[in-house]
Amino acid sequence: MKKAYDYLIVGSGLFGSTFAYLAKKAGKKCLVIDKRPQLGGNLYCEKIEGINVHKYGAHIFHTSNKEVWNFVNSIVDFNRYTNNPVANYKGELYNLPFNMNTFNRLWGVKTPAEAQAKIDEQKSEAIKALDGHEPQNLEEQAFTLVGKDIFEKLIKEYTEKQWGRKCTELPAFIIRRLPVRFVFDNNYFNDKYQGIPVGGYNKLIESLLNGIETLVSVDFFTSEYKDWMKYAKNLVYTGAIDEYFGYSLGKLDWRTVSFKTRVEDTPNYQGNAIVNYTSHDRPYTRVIEHKHFEMFGQEVYDYPKTIVSEEYSTEFQDGMEPYYPVNDERNNRLAEEYRILARKEENVIFGGRLGEYKYYDMAPIIEQVLKMYKK
Ligand code: FAD
């Protein structure tokens, strides 16, 4: 029987959509299915009050890979958004990542030498307090890396909200490095290129999937496509790897975040896309004001309202969105066992963050698919 498709692609996230785009270019016929009611995976944005709302978490595209940057720019234009997050500690505002603006606000220092001296002084106090012992927990470790002030105002309570545990109860290895910059530069990323697609991420996905057959609200496992061999020569699977194998070796754990989104009746709520709340007086870790990803200057005021999302670190339970793999021993071992099974599946490509049980930013996903295409 002649099969209708070269590739059945499960998942319309960045992996599945980029794969479909390149396969189509190579003359292959694809069908993309997704169990969500819309395309785009985690990049999907919902339009509220004319503003693109990052429904599955704030996404900023950044890369130093010129090939990847040229590729995405051949699909859509990118704007000039630069990620400059701000931290709010009990009402005091600090620039992130830790740089001369942060140090000036913390200690009034004006030169890199003064800032370095202040940090060195606090680091040596912390090392002295250890009295020759290795740091026993995250708190002791962070003290030795950046000193007391940066740790207490900008790291401690934020980390405790993220992990749901005290820093003294978290292992030291979680924080190996805490980069500090002795320049007045609030750009969070060190990458050469960054931005947001002009018109939003949905435009990127729509352009990648232009002319390709797609079906939404179709779960691979409960649909006719489970017998994919009837329809396609190959399967590209970007769903959860443990689910593919019916959880036969056990369930992989995930970390998740949840969002409370609301409309604010003001054109400009916090003056920045991302504000981190680094103290316990707010239960959330960050507040995202979505319009600042795509609107600049006067444009911000062209829309009378704004959309904000509070982001909460949340214990994962069945039915929640699986966001971040848990990199502990049990999960790393289990994921590797599933990957070994995956390699034995004929004509099946496992890809993406769920299919590999690995955290990937967007650019490495594209890099991977481009490499596959070249092969
Ligand atoms: P996904 O986008 O998750 O797509 C997988 C798709 O498969 C989903 O649409 C899902 O519905 C579908 N699916 C799963 N199972 C089935 C099934 N059984 N049947 C049918 N369909 C199925 N990266 C950056 O570069 N910058 C950022 O700022 C950034 N921020 C992030 C913030 C958060 C909160 C998270 C979680 C990730 C962030 N990322 C960021 C990473 C980015 O989201 C990933 O690189 C990208 O989503 C990976 O694409 P994917 O196709 O692998 O996965």
Short mmCIF file of all heavy atoms in Angstrom, two decimals, residues 9-17 33-36 38-44 56-62 83 189 201 218-222 237-240 243 257 259 286 311 321-324 351-355 359-365, ligand 1:
data_model
loop_
_atom_site.label_atom_id
_atom_site.label_comp_id
_atom_site.label_asym_id
_atom_site.label_seq_id
_atom_site.Cartn_x
_atom_site.Cartn_y
_atom_site.Cartn_z
N ILE A 9 4.68 13.73 11.82
CA ILE A 9 5.42 14.47 12.86
C ILE A 9 4.50 14.70 14.05
O ILE A 9 3.45 15.35 13.92
CB ILE A 9 5.95 15.81 12.29
CG1 ILE A 9 6.89 15.51 11.10
CG2 ILE A 9 6.67 16.61 13.37
CD1 ILE A 9 7.37 16.72 10.35
N VAL A 10 4.87 14.13 15.17
CA VAL A 10 4.07 14.29 16.40
C VAL A 10 4.63 15.47 17.18
O VAL A 10 5.74 15.41 17.69
CB VAL A 10 4.10 13.01 17.26
CG1 VAL A 10 3.32 13.21 18.56
CG2 VAL A 10 3.54 11.83 16.47
N GLY A 11 3.87 16.56 17.23
CA GLY A 11 4.30 17.75 17.95
C GLY A 11 4.64 18.88 16.99
O GLY A 11 5.45 18.71 16.09
N SER A 12 3.98 20.02 17.20
CA SER A 12 4.19 21.16 16.30
C SER A 12 5.01 22.25 16.97
O SER A 12 4.89 23.43 16.65
CB SER A 12 2.83 21.73 15.89
OG SER A 12 2.18 22.25 17.05
N GLY A 13 5.82 21.87 17.97
CA GLY A 13 6.73 22.84 18.60
C GLY A 13 7.83 23.21 17.63
O GLY A 13 7.77 22.88 16.43
N LEU A 14 8.86 23.85 18.14
CA LEU A 14 9.92 24.34 17.25
C LEU A 14 10.63 23.18 16.55
O LEU A 14 11.00 23.30 15.38
CB LEU A 14 10.92 25.18 18.06
CG LEU A 14 11.87 26.01 17.22
CD1 LEU A 14 11.13 26.99 16.32
CD2 LEU A 14 12.86 26.76 18.11
N PHE A 15 10.81 22.07 17.25
CA PHE A 15 11.49 20.93 16.62
C PHE A 15 10.65 20.41 15.45
O PHE A 15 11.12 20.31 14.32
CB PHE A 15 11.75 19.81 17.64
CG PHE A 15 12.66 18.73 17.09
CD1 PHE A 15 14.00 18.69 17.43
CD2 PHE A 15 12.18 17.76 16.21
CE1 PHE A 15 14.85 17.72 16.91
CE2 PHE A 15 13.01 16.79 15.67
CZ PHE A 15 14.35 16.77 16.03
N GLY A 16 9.39 20.07 15.74
CA GLY A 16 8.52 19.47 14.72
C GLY A 16 8.31 20.42 13.55
O GLY A 16 8.36 20.01 12.38
N SER A 17 8.11 21.71 13.84
CA SER A 17 7.83 22.68 12.77
C SER A 17 9.05 22.91 11.89
O SER A 17 8.93 23.02 10.67
CB SER A 17 7.38 24.02 13.36
OG SER A 17 6.23 23.82 14.13
N ILE A 33 0.89 16.56 13.63
CA ILE A 33 -0.26 16.52 14.55
C ILE A 33 0.17 17.05 15.92
O ILE A 33 1.33 16.92 16.31
CB ILE A 33 -0.87 15.09 14.69
CG1 ILE A 33 0.14 14.11 15.31
CG2 ILE A 33 -1.37 14.58 13.36
CD1 ILE A 33 -0.49 12.78 15.75
N ASP A 34 -0.77 17.65 16.61
CA ASP A 34 -0.47 18.12 17.97
C ASP A 34 -1.68 17.91 18.86
O ASP A 34 -2.82 18.11 18.44
CB ASP A 34 -0.08 19.61 17.97
CG ASP A 34 0.77 19.95 19.19
OD1 ASP A 34 0.24 19.84 20.33
OD2 ASP A 34 1.95 20.28 19.02
N LYS A 35 -1.42 17.53 20.09
CA LYS A 35 -2.55 17.27 21.00
C LYS A 35 -3.13 18.56 21.58
O LYS A 35 -4.25 18.59 22.05
CB LYS A 35 -2.15 16.30 22.10
CG LYS A 35 -1.15 16.81 23.10
CD LYS A 35 -0.92 15.73 24.16
CE LYS A 35 0.13 16.15 25.15
NZ LYS A 35 0.46 15.11 26.10
N ARG A 36 -2.37 19.65 21.53
CA ARG A 36 -2.90 20.92 22.01
C ARG A 36 -3.85 21.50 20.95
O ARG A 36 -3.77 21.14 19.79
CB ARG A 36 -1.76 21.91 22.26
CG ARG A 36 -0.91 21.52 23.46
CD ARG A 36 0.15 22.58 23.71
NE ARG A 36 1.02 22.21 24.82
CZ ARG A 36 2.18 22.80 25.07
NH1 ARG A 36 2.62 23.78 24.31
NH2 ARG A 36 2.92 22.42 26.10
N GLN A 38 -3.74 24.21 19.55
CA GLN A 38 -3.09 25.15 18.64
C GLN A 38 -1.70 24.65 18.32
O GLN A 38 -1.18 23.76 18.97
CB GLN A 38 -3.03 26.55 19.27
CG GLN A 38 -2.02 26.71 20.40
CD GLN A 38 -2.52 26.30 21.77
OE1 GLN A 38 -3.68 26.54 22.11
NE2 GLN A 38 -1.67 25.67 22.57
N LEU A 39 -1.10 25.27 17.29
CA LEU A 39 0.25 24.89 16.85
C LEU A 39 1.30 25.71 17.59
O LEU A 39 1.01 26.77 18.12
CB LEU A 39 0.37 25.13 15.34
CG LEU A 39 -0.62 24.39 14.45
CD1 LEU A 39 -0.56 24.93 13.01
CD2 LEU A 39 -0.35 22.88 14.45
N GLY A 40 2.53 25.20 17.60
CA GLY A 40 3.64 26.03 18.10
C GLY A 40 4.28 25.54 19.39
O GLY A 40 5.29 26.11 19.82
N GLY A 41 3.68 24.53 20.03
CA GLY A 41 4.26 24.04 21.28
C GLY A 41 4.40 25.16 22.29
O GLY A 41 3.52 26.02 22.41
N ASN A 42 5.53 25.22 22.96
CA ASN A 42 5.74 26.21 24.02
C ASN A 42 5.92 27.64 23.51
O ASN A 42 5.94 28.57 24.30
CB ASN A 42 6.98 25.85 24.84
CG ASN A 42 6.66 24.79 25.86
OD1 ASN A 42 5.52 24.37 25.98
ND2 ASN A 42 7.67 24.35 26.59
N LEU A 43 6.07 27.77 22.20
CA LEU A 43 6.26 29.13 21.66
C LEU A 43 4.93 29.84 21.43
O LEU A 43 4.91 31.04 21.16
CB LEU A 43 7.01 29.06 20.32
CG LEU A 43 8.53 29.03 20.39
CD1 LEU A 43 9.03 27.86 21.19
CD2 LEU A 43 9.11 28.99 19.00
N TYR A 44 3.84 29.11 21.55
CA TYR A 44 2.53 29.66 21.21
C TYR A 44 2.22 30.91 22.05
O TYR A 44 2.42 30.94 23.26
CB TYR A 44 1.45 28.60 21.43
CG TYR A 44 0.06 29.16 21.30
CD1 TYR A 44 -0.46 29.51 20.05
CD2 TYR A 44 -0.73 29.37 22.43
CE1 TYR A 44 -1.73 30.05 19.94
CE2 TYR A 44 -2.01 29.90 22.33
CZ TYR A 44 -2.50 30.25 21.08
OH TYR A 44 -3.74 30.80 20.97
N TYR A 56 3.04 29.85 27.44
CA TYR A 56 3.82 28.78 28.09
C TYR A 56 5.17 29.28 28.59
O TYR A 56 6.15 28.55 28.60
CB TYR A 56 4.01 27.61 27.12
CG TYR A 56 2.69 26.99 26.67
CD1 TYR A 56 2.12 27.35 25.47
CD2 TYR A 56 2.03 26.07 27.48
CE1 TYR A 56 0.91 26.79 25.06
CE2 TYR A 56 0.82 25.51 27.09
CZ TYR A 56 0.27 25.89 25.87
OH TYR A 56 -0.93 25.33 25.48
N GLY A 57 5.22 30.53 29.02
CA GLY A 57 6.46 31.06 29.57
C GLY A 57 7.13 32.02 28.61
O GLY A 57 7.05 31.86 27.39
N ALA A 58 7.80 33.03 29.19
CA ALA A 58 8.47 34.06 28.39
C ALA A 58 9.58 33.43 27.55
O ALA A 58 10.42 32.71 28.08
CB ALA A 58 9.07 35.10 29.33
N HIS A 59 9.58 33.72 26.27
CA HIS A 59 10.58 33.16 25.36
C HIS A 59 11.37 34.26 24.64
O HIS A 59 10.78 35.10 23.96
CB HIS A 59 9.90 32.26 24.32
CG HIS A 59 9.64 30.88 24.82
ND1 HIS A 59 8.69 30.61 25.76
CD2 HIS A 59 10.25 29.70 24.53
CE1 HIS A 59 8.70 29.31 26.02
NE2 HIS A 59 9.65 28.73 25.29
N ILE A 60 12.66 34.22 24.80
CA ILE A 60 13.55 35.18 24.12
C ILE A 60 14.52 34.39 23.27
O ILE A 60 15.24 33.53 23.78
CB ILE A 60 14.32 36.04 25.15
CG1 ILE A 60 13.33 36.81 26.02
CG2 ILE A 60 15.29 37.00 24.44
CD1 ILE A 60 13.61 36.73 27.47
N PHE A 61 14.54 34.68 21.99
CA PHE A 61 15.44 33.95 21.10
C PHE A 61 16.83 34.56 21.20
O PHE A 61 17.00 35.77 21.08
CB PHE A 61 14.93 34.04 19.65
CG PHE A 61 15.58 33.02 18.78
CD1 PHE A 61 14.98 31.79 18.57
CD2 PHE A 61 16.82 33.25 18.21
CE1 PHE A 61 15.60 30.82 17.81
CE2 PHE A 61 17.45 32.28 17.44
CZ PHE A 61 16.82 31.06 17.24
N HIS A 62 17.82 33.72 21.42
CA HIS A 62 19.21 34.24 21.49
C HIS A 62 20.17 33.16 21.02
O HIS A 62 19.99 31.98 21.28
CB HIS A 62 19.55 34.68 22.92
CG HIS A 62 19.42 33.59 23.94
ND1 HIS A 62 20.51 32.88 24.40
CD2 HIS A 62 18.35 33.06 24.55
CE1 HIS A 62 20.10 31.98 25.27
NE2 HIS A 62 18.78 32.06 25.38
N ASN A 83 17.20 41.36 26.42
CA ASN A 83 16.71 40.98 27.74
C ASN A 83 17.51 41.69 28.84
O ASN A 83 18.69 41.42 29.04
CB ASN A 83 16.81 39.46 27.91
CG ASN A 83 16.00 38.98 29.08
OD1 ASN A 83 15.05 39.65 29.51
ND2 ASN A 83 16.35 37.83 29.62
N PHE A 189 22.02 38.21 28.18
CA PHE A 189 22.70 37.16 27.40
C PHE A 189 24.04 37.65 26.87
O PHE A 189 24.19 38.82 26.52
CB PHE A 189 21.81 36.72 26.22
CG PHE A 189 20.51 36.10 26.66
CD1 PHE A 189 19.30 36.69 26.36
CD2 PHE A 189 20.51 34.91 27.39
CE1 PHE A 189 18.11 36.12 26.77
CE2 PHE A 189 19.32 34.33 27.80
CZ PHE A 189 18.12 34.94 27.49
N TYR A 201 5.77 34.97 18.00
CA TYR A 201 6.24 33.60 17.70
C TYR A 201 5.26 32.83 16.81
O TYR A 201 5.66 31.95 16.06
CB TYR A 201 6.49 32.82 18.99
CG TYR A 201 7.78 33.22 19.65
CD1 TYR A 201 7.79 34.13 20.70
CD2 TYR A 201 9.00 32.72 19.21
CE1 TYR A 201 8.98 34.52 21.30
CE2 TYR A 201 10.19 33.11 19.79
CZ TYR A 201 10.17 34.01 20.84
OH TYR A 201 11.36 34.39 21.40
N VAL A 218 -5.20 16.50 18.41
CA VAL A 218 -5.09 15.07 18.08
C VAL A 218 -3.94 14.48 18.88
O VAL A 218 -2.78 14.85 18.65
CB VAL A 218 -4.84 14.86 16.56
CG1 VAL A 218 -4.59 13.39 16.26
CG2 VAL A 218 -6.00 15.38 15.74
N ASP A 219 -4.28 13.63 19.83
CA ASP A 219 -3.24 12.98 20.62
C ASP A 219 -2.79 11.72 19.88
O ASP A 219 -3.61 10.86 19.56
CB ASP A 219 -3.79 12.62 22.02
CG ASP A 219 -2.68 12.14 22.95
OD1 ASP A 219 -1.77 11.42 22.48
OD2 ASP A 219 -2.73 12.49 24.14
N PHE A 220 -1.52 11.64 19.63
CA PHE A 220 -0.94 10.51 18.90
C PHE A 220 -1.42 9.17 19.47
O PHE A 220 -1.83 8.27 18.74
CB PHE A 220 0.59 10.62 18.99
CG PHE A 220 1.35 9.47 18.41
CD1 PHE A 220 1.30 9.20 17.05
CD2 PHE A 220 2.14 8.67 19.22
CE1 PHE A 220 2.02 8.14 16.51
CE2 PHE A 220 2.86 7.61 18.69
CZ PHE A 220 2.80 7.34 17.33
N PHE A 221 -1.41 9.07 20.81
CA PHE A 221 -1.65 7.77 21.44
C PHE A 221 -3.10 7.32 21.40
O PHE A 221 -3.38 6.14 21.49
CB PHE A 221 -1.14 7.78 22.89
CG PHE A 221 0.34 7.96 22.94
CD1 PHE A 221 0.89 9.17 23.32
CD2 PHE A 221 1.20 6.94 22.55
CE1 PHE A 221 2.26 9.35 23.34
CE2 PHE A 221 2.57 7.11 22.55
CZ PHE A 221 3.10 8.32 22.95
N THR A 222 -4.02 8.27 21.29
CA THR A 222 -5.42 7.87 21.31
C THR A 222 -6.07 8.07 19.93
O THR A 222 -7.29 7.98 19.80
CB THR A 222 -6.20 8.69 22.36
OG1 THR A 222 -5.94 10.07 22.13
CG2 THR A 222 -5.77 8.34 23.78
N TYR A 237 8.98 11.95 16.43
CA TYR A 237 8.22 11.98 17.68
C TYR A 237 8.84 13.00 18.63
O TYR A 237 9.99 12.84 19.05
CB TYR A 237 8.21 10.58 18.30
CG TYR A 237 7.48 10.54 19.62
CD1 TYR A 237 6.09 10.50 19.67
CD2 TYR A 237 8.18 10.58 20.82
CE1 TYR A 237 5.42 10.51 20.88
CE2 TYR A 237 7.51 10.58 22.04
CZ TYR A 237 6.13 10.55 22.05
OH TYR A 237 5.46 10.56 23.24
N THR A 238 8.08 14.06 18.95
CA THR A 238 8.60 15.08 19.88
C THR A 238 7.78 15.15 21.17
O THR A 238 7.84 16.13 21.89
CB THR A 238 8.68 16.50 19.22
OG1 THR A 238 7.35 17.03 19.09
CG2 THR A 238 9.34 16.46 17.87
N GLY A 239 7.00 14.10 21.44
CA GLY A 239 6.29 14.01 22.71
C GLY A 239 7.22 13.42 23.77
O GLY A 239 8.42 13.22 23.53
N ALA A 240 6.68 13.11 24.94
CA ALA A 240 7.50 12.61 26.05
C ALA A 240 8.00 11.20 25.76
O ALA A 240 7.21 10.32 25.38
CB ALA A 240 6.70 12.65 27.34
N GLU A 243 6.39 8.31 27.73
CA GLU A 243 5.01 8.02 27.31
C GLU A 243 5.03 7.13 26.06
O GLU A 243 4.22 6.21 25.91
CB GLU A 243 4.26 9.32 27.02
CG GLU A 243 2.78 9.10 26.77
CD GLU A 243 1.98 10.38 26.60
OE1 GLU A 243 2.57 11.47 26.48
OE2 GLU A 243 0.74 10.27 26.57
N VAL A 257 6.38 25.35 36.02
CA VAL A 257 6.03 26.67 36.54
C VAL A 257 4.58 26.93 36.15
O VAL A 257 4.09 26.33 35.20
CB VAL A 257 6.93 27.80 35.95
CG1 VAL A 257 8.30 27.81 36.58
CG2 VAL A 257 7.06 27.72 34.44
N PHE A 259 1.33 30.07 35.83
CA PHE A 259 1.19 31.50 35.59
C PHE A 259 -0.20 31.98 36.00
O PHE A 259 -1.18 31.27 35.79
CB PHE A 259 1.37 31.81 34.09
CG PHE A 259 2.68 31.30 33.56
CD1 PHE A 259 2.74 30.08 32.88
CD2 PHE A 259 3.84 32.00 33.77
CE1 PHE A 259 3.95 29.59 32.41
CE2 PHE A 259 5.06 31.52 33.30
CZ PHE A 259 5.11 30.31 32.62
N ARG A 286 8.59 35.73 39.32
CA ARG A 286 8.78 36.80 38.34
C ARG A 286 7.43 37.38 37.93
O ARG A 286 6.41 36.70 38.05
CB ARG A 286 9.41 36.26 37.05
CG ARG A 286 10.63 35.40 37.25
CD ARG A 286 11.42 35.28 35.96
NE ARG A 286 10.75 34.49 34.93
CZ ARG A 286 11.24 34.32 33.70
NH1 ARG A 286 12.39 34.87 33.37
NH2 ARG A 286 10.60 33.59 32.82
N GLU A 311 4.64 34.54 37.67
CA GLU A 311 5.18 33.18 37.44
C GLU A 311 5.49 32.54 38.79
O GLU A 311 6.18 33.13 39.62
CB GLU A 311 6.45 33.30 36.59
CG GLU A 311 7.01 31.97 36.17
CD GLU A 311 8.18 32.12 35.18
OE1 GLU A 311 8.10 32.93 34.24
OE2 GLU A 311 9.19 31.43 35.39
N GLU A 321 1.77 20.92 32.77
CA GLU A 321 2.71 21.01 31.66
C GLU A 321 4.10 20.57 32.13
O GLU A 321 4.62 21.13 33.09
CB GLU A 321 2.82 22.46 31.17
CG GLU A 321 1.64 22.96 30.40
CD GLU A 321 1.38 22.17 29.13
OE1 GLU A 321 2.33 21.60 28.59
OE2 GLU A 321 0.21 22.14 28.70
N PRO A 322 4.70 19.57 31.47
CA PRO A 322 6.07 19.21 31.84
C PRO A 322 7.04 20.21 31.23
O PRO A 322 7.13 20.31 30.03
CB PRO A 322 6.23 17.82 31.19
CG PRO A 322 5.27 17.80 30.05
CD PRO A 322 4.18 18.81 30.33
N TYR A 323 7.75 20.99 32.05
CA TYR A 323 8.60 22.05 31.50
C TYR A 323 10.09 21.71 31.54
O TYR A 323 10.76 21.74 30.54
CB TYR A 323 8.35 23.36 32.23
CG TYR A 323 7.15 24.11 31.72
CD1 TYR A 323 6.28 24.76 32.58
CD2 TYR A 323 6.89 24.19 30.36
CE1 TYR A 323 5.18 25.47 32.11
CE2 TYR A 323 5.80 24.88 29.87
CZ TYR A 323 4.94 25.52 30.75
OH TYR A 323 3.87 26.21 30.27
N TYR A 324 10.58 21.42 32.73
CA TYR A 324 12.04 21.23 32.86
C TYR A 324 12.35 19.82 33.32
O TYR A 324 11.80 19.36 34.34
CB TYR A 324 12.62 22.21 33.88
CG TYR A 324 12.36 23.65 33.55
CD1 TYR A 324 11.38 24.38 34.23
CD2 TYR A 324 13.10 24.28 32.56
CE1 TYR A 324 11.14 25.71 33.92
CE2 TYR A 324 12.87 25.62 32.25
CZ TYR A 324 11.89 26.33 32.94
OH TYR A 324 11.65 27.63 32.63
N GLY A 351 12.93 13.60 19.00
CA GLY A 351 13.57 14.91 19.01
C GLY A 351 12.90 15.86 19.98
O GLY A 351 11.80 15.61 20.48
N GLY A 352 13.59 16.99 20.25
CA GLY A 352 13.01 18.04 21.08
C GLY A 352 13.19 17.76 22.55
O GLY A 352 13.75 16.75 22.97
N ARG A 353 12.69 18.67 23.34
CA ARG A 353 12.94 18.63 24.79
C ARG A 353 12.22 17.46 25.47
O ARG A 353 12.75 16.87 26.41
CB ARG A 353 12.56 19.95 25.43
CG ARG A 353 11.13 20.30 25.22
CD ARG A 353 10.67 21.60 25.75
NE ARG A 353 9.22 21.51 25.81
CZ ARG A 353 8.54 21.22 26.88
NH1 ARG A 353 9.14 21.03 28.02
NH2 ARG A 353 7.23 21.12 26.83
N LEU A 354 11.03 17.10 24.97
CA LEU A 354 10.29 15.98 25.58
C LEU A 354 10.79 14.65 25.05
O LEU A 354 10.92 13.67 25.78
CB LEU A 354 8.79 16.11 25.29
CG LEU A 354 8.08 17.38 25.72
CD1 LEU A 354 6.71 17.49 25.06
CD2 LEU A 354 7.93 17.40 27.23
N GLY A 355 11.08 14.63 23.76
CA GLY A 355 11.50 13.40 23.09
C GLY A 355 12.89 12.94 23.53
O GLY A 355 13.22 11.77 23.42
N TYR A 359 16.78 19.67 28.51
CA TYR A 359 16.40 21.06 28.33
C TYR A 359 17.18 21.64 27.16
O TYR A 359 18.40 21.53 27.12
CB TYR A 359 16.66 21.92 29.58
CG TYR A 359 16.27 23.35 29.29
CD1 TYR A 359 14.95 23.76 29.38
CD2 TYR A 359 17.21 24.26 28.80
CE1 TYR A 359 14.57 25.04 29.03
CE2 TYR A 359 16.84 25.55 28.44
CZ TYR A 359 15.51 25.93 28.57
OH TYR A 359 15.13 27.20 28.20
N TYR A 360 16.49 22.21 26.21
CA TYR A 360 17.13 22.91 25.10
C TYR A 360 16.53 24.29 24.98
O TYR A 360 15.31 24.43 25.02
CB TYR A 360 16.84 22.21 23.76
CG TYR A 360 17.57 20.92 23.54
CD1 TYR A 360 16.86 19.71 23.52
CD2 TYR A 360 18.93 20.89 23.31
CE1 TYR A 360 17.52 18.50 23.29
CE2 TYR A 360 19.59 19.69 23.08
CZ TYR A 360 18.88 18.52 23.08
OH TYR A 360 19.53 17.34 22.84
N ASP A 361 17.38 25.30 24.77
CA ASP A 361 16.86 26.59 24.33
C ASP A 361 16.43 26.44 22.87
O ASP A 361 16.73 25.43 22.23
CB ASP A 361 17.97 27.65 24.45
CG ASP A 361 17.96 28.33 25.82
OD1 ASP A 361 16.91 28.33 26.48
OD2 ASP A 361 19.01 28.86 26.23
N MET A 362 15.79 27.48 22.36
CA MET A 362 15.26 27.37 20.99
C MET A 362 16.37 27.24 19.93
O MET A 362 16.25 26.43 19.01
CB MET A 362 14.41 28.61 20.67
CG MET A 362 13.14 28.66 21.47
SD MET A 362 12.17 30.14 21.08
CE MET A 362 12.93 31.34 22.15
N ALA A 363 17.43 28.05 20.08
CA ALA A 363 18.48 28.03 19.04
C ALA A 363 19.12 26.64 18.89
O ALA A 363 19.29 26.16 17.77
CB ALA A 363 19.52 29.11 19.33
N PRO A 364 19.48 25.96 19.99
CA PRO A 364 20.05 24.62 19.84
C PRO A 364 19.09 23.62 19.19
O PRO A 364 19.53 22.68 18.52
CB PRO A 364 20.37 24.19 21.27
CG PRO A 364 20.48 25.46 22.03
CD PRO A 364 19.55 26.43 21.39
N ILE A 365 17.79 23.84 19.36
CA ILE A 365 16.81 22.96 18.70
C ILE A 365 16.94 23.14 17.18
O ILE A 365 17.03 22.17 16.43
CB ILE A 365 15.36 23.33 19.16
CG1 ILE A 365 15.13 22.93 20.61
CG2 ILE A 365 14.30 22.75 18.22
CD1 ILE A 365 14.65 21.55 20.86
P1 FAD B 1 7.55 21.80 22.55
O1 FAD B 1 7.47 23.24 22.23
O2 FAD B 1 7.14 21.39 23.91
O3 FAD B 1 6.67 21.01 21.49
C1 FAD B 1 6.26 19.67 21.67
C2 FAD B 1 4.86 19.56 21.17
O4 FAD B 1 4.50 18.16 21.14
C3 FAD B 1 3.82 20.24 22.04
O5 FAD B 1 3.08 21.16 21.27
C4 FAD B 1 2.95 19.11 22.54
O6 FAD B 1 1.58 19.47 22.67
C5 FAD B 1 3.14 18.07 21.47
N1 FAD B 1 2.85 16.71 21.93
C6 FAD B 1 3.38 16.08 23.01
N2 FAD B 1 2.87 14.84 23.13
C7 FAD B 1 1.99 14.68 22.09
C8 FAD B 1 1.14 13.62 21.70
N3 FAD B 1 1.06 12.48 22.40
N4 FAD B 1 0.38 13.78 20.59
C9 FAD B 1 0.42 14.95 19.90
N5 FAD B 1 1.22 15.99 20.24
C10 FAD B 1 1.99 15.85 21.32
N6 FAD B 1 14.24 28.87 24.99
C11 FAD B 1 14.90 29.99 24.58
O7 FAD B 1 15.71 29.91 23.65
N7 FAD B 1 14.66 31.20 25.19
C12 FAD B 1 13.78 31.34 26.22
O8 FAD B 1 13.61 32.46 26.72
C13 FAD B 1 13.08 30.18 26.68
N8 FAD B 1 12.20 30.27 27.70
C14 FAD B 1 11.57 29.14 28.14
C15 FAD B 1 10.67 29.26 29.20
C16 FAD B 1 10.04 28.11 29.68
C17 FAD B 1 9.07 28.22 30.83
C18 FAD B 1 10.31 26.85 29.10
C19 FAD B 1 9.69 25.60 29.63
C20 FAD B 1 11.18 26.74 28.03
C21 FAD B 1 11.82 27.89 27.54
N9 FAD B 1 12.67 27.80 26.44
C22 FAD B 1 13.34 28.94 26.02
C23 FAD B 1 12.91 26.53 25.72
C24 FAD B 1 11.93 26.33 24.55
O9 FAD B 1 10.61 26.29 25.05
C25 FAD B 1 12.26 25.01 23.83
O10 FAD B 1 13.52 25.11 23.23
C26 FAD B 1 11.26 24.64 22.73
O11 FAD B 1 9.95 24.71 23.18
C27 FAD B 1 11.53 23.23 22.27
O12 FAD B 1 10.64 22.87 21.26
P2 FAD B 1 10.08 21.38 21.16
O13 FAD B 1 9.46 21.27 19.82
O14 FAD B 1 11.13 20.43 21.55
O15 FAD B 1 9.02 21.26 22.34
#
